[in-house]
Amino acid sequence: MKTTRSKVIAYRIAAQGLHRDAAKGVRDLGVLDIGVQEAMGHPAALAFAARLPVDVAVGPTDVAIGPGHRLALAWTLRGAPHVHRRGDLDALARALWPLSEADATGRLNESGPSVTKAGIPALEQFQLAVAAMREVVTVPTAKGTASTEVTNRLPKPMRHDCRACKTQHISDSAMRAAAPAAGLELEPGTAPPVLVPRDGAQLPSEPDPGAIRELATRYLTYLGPAAVGEFAGYLEARRADVATAWPNDLVEAFVDGRPAWLPEAQVDALRGAPPVAGLVRLLGPFDPYLQARDRDLIVPDKAVQKILWPVLGRPGVVLVDGEVAGVWRTKTSARKLAVNVEAFAPLPPRVWKRIEAEAIRVGEVRGASQITVNHAG
């Protein structure tokens, strides 16, 4: 089938619930199928608020994601903390097991020469890290303590020099990559993070192509149509490895002539995607909508891409009628929050009014008692 960039944008906005018509509460949100990234500033709660009805309160303490709840916080995709449905974590751990020696090298943030110098294959290093973390973290354990104990159980070639600690220990990348397979989650609200063993976790010992196919289908459902390489980039895995577990029940969709894929079950949703005219949202810097790897589709302007996805310090995004119309940042003083919005081009007063309403929602998520909205452009 043939489609266009504007149609794909309309499809993704609808699939992700950004019309605020598909969920009554956090647990109903479809984007939890792919996980919602968390970081400083509560970006997961911001993502929830952008998709839930405005009369549903979402604040820093309104999302229960600790042990015993249906949602969990864990190091998963790309080693970053994400909020997931707890019931998805076993399959996700199987999907994130390295698919090859080269894949393991990348996930450990190593290079071929460094692995050769260590004399231990990257896959074996990964397995050793998983085994050590399973052995060490049997009760809630601070990351620093876990790192020390895990390091003591690893061969010396796997230990990395750390200038800050003035010692050698397991790399942060290895800990994060191994955590899902070790059956670990994170205790919310802890800094430095506290690792917690997940009750009843089914611990994998190898990759599961079926789990990878399911994860790819979910990615394509919410961020498709997309190509194999884009899903591989989302995982930070090799395209050649991911291609071996690519789903079969897909339809090829040419997006303005570019080949991409969509689950067959979503074809009607793509064709019938509702219009996005009048939709205004302030998306957090790690919002699921911005996690797609075809950034040229989200925003064709390369200069704007550099603004949205810098190495450090991502801004939030102003989404107007399906297009990235500007960025926003916040400044906090006590319980006062200033939301500073910068538009890339002049916007009509009616849009600014909607932006201000969304900014107030941001303030509510951040738990501010006083919210000021400043705008330029």
Side-chain angles (χ1 to χ4, degrees):
M1 63 180 294
K2 296 180 181 180
T3 189
T4 64
R5 171 180 176 269
S6 60
K7 198 69 174 176
V8 170
I9 287 174
Y11 165 77
R12 291 182 185 178
I13 285 174
Q16 292 195 22
L18 283 166
H19 287 288
R20 289 192 172 128
D21 60 357
K24 296 181 179 179
V26 171
R27 294 175 181 177
D28 303 325
L29 290 170
V31 288
L32 286 169
D33 288 353
I34 55 174
V36 180
Q37 191 167 337
E38 183 63 302
M40 295 289 292
H42 311 294
L46 289 173
F48 301 152
R51 291 162 173 81
L52 291 174
V54 294
D55 59 348
V56 177
V58 181
T61 61
D62 289 327
V63 182
I65 54 177
H69 297 280
R70 287 179 58 188
L71 301 182
L73 180 68
W75 283 329
T76 56
L77 298 158
R78 304 173 300 282
H82 281 71
V83 178
H84 296 276
R85 294 189 183 92
R86 186 174 298 280
D88 290 340
L89 289 177
D90 284 334
L92 192 59
R94 297 195 302 271
L96 296 179
W97 190 281
L99 298 164
S100 68
E101 176 67 14
D103 188 21
T105 300
R107 291 178 192 259
L108 295 173
N109 197 25
E110 296 283 2
S111 65
S114 68
V115 171
T116 300
K117 182 178 179 180
I120 305 172
L123 273 171
E124 184 178 344
Q125 290 190 36
F126 175 82
Q127 292 165 342
L128 288 169
V130 168
M133 291 183 70
R134 288 177 182 175
E135 183 178 343
V136 167
V137 185
T138 57
V139 296
T141 306
K143 180 187 175 185
T145 300
S147 175
T148 299
E149 293 302 316
V150 167
T151 299
N152 290 338
R153 288 164 171 76
L154 296 179
K156 289 185 179 180
M158 286 183 62
R159 303 176 187 183
H160 291 248
D161 291 324
C162 178
R163 294 181 180 179
C165 300
K166 296 181 180 179
T167 186
Q168 289 187 326
H169 55 67
I170 182 175
S171 71
D172 182 67
S173 298
M175 286 192 72
R176 290 171 181 262
L184 305 181
E185 61 182 275
L186 299 172
E187 185 175 316
T190 56
V194 172
L195 300 168
V196 182
R198 184 161 52 85
D199 290 340
Q202 298 179 9
L203 305 179
S205 59
E206 60 184 2
D208 180 352
I212 298 168
R213 281 191 289 271
E214 172 61 24
L215 184 57
T217 298
R218 293 184 177 198
Y219 177 89
L220 295 171
T221 296
Y222 295 98
L223 295 169
V228 178
E230 289 152 3
F231 175 61
Y234 179 74
L235 294 183
E236 290 190 348
R238 294 198 323 152
R239 182 190 183 284
D241 291 323
V242 171
T244 63
W246 197 234
N248 295 319
D249 55 342
L250 303 178
V251 172
E252 191 168 19
F254 290 88
V255 183
D256 292 331
R258 177 182 63 86
W261 300 89
L262 187 72
E264 187 175 5
Q266 301 303 316
V267 169
D268 288 344
L270 173 60
R271 288 174 172 158
V276 295
L279 186 140
V280 176
R281 296 288 182 270
L282 295 189
L283 304 181
F286 296 101
D287 190 271
Y289 182 81
L290 303 172
Q291 298 287 15
R293 286 320 192 245
D294 52 355
R295 292 174 175 176
D296 287 342
L297 187 141
I298 298 172
V299 52
D301 190 324
K302 297 291 187 183
V304 175
Q305 290 180 23
K306 292 180 180 180
I307 295 172
L308 300 190
W309 294 287
V311 176
L312 296 173
R314 292 186 186 184
V317 166
V318 182
L319 192 69
V320 178
D321 299 340
E323 298 292 344
V324 174
V327 296
W328 62 273
R329 294 177 172 85
T330 59
K331 186 175 182 180
T332 305
S333 176
R335 288 180 59 83
K336 299 179 181 179
L337 183 76
V339 182
N340 302 314
V341 182
E342 179 183 354
F344 295 145
L347 297 172
R350 63 176 178 80
V351 172
W352 278 116
K353 187 175 181 180
R354 295 288 305 278
I355 289 174
E356 289 170 359
E358 293 297 315
I360 291 173
R361 186 108 164 119
V362 169
E364 293 171 349
V365 169
R366 296 283 179 84
S369 59
Q370 183 175 330
I371 304 163
T372 303
V373 183
N374 305 311
H375 57 77

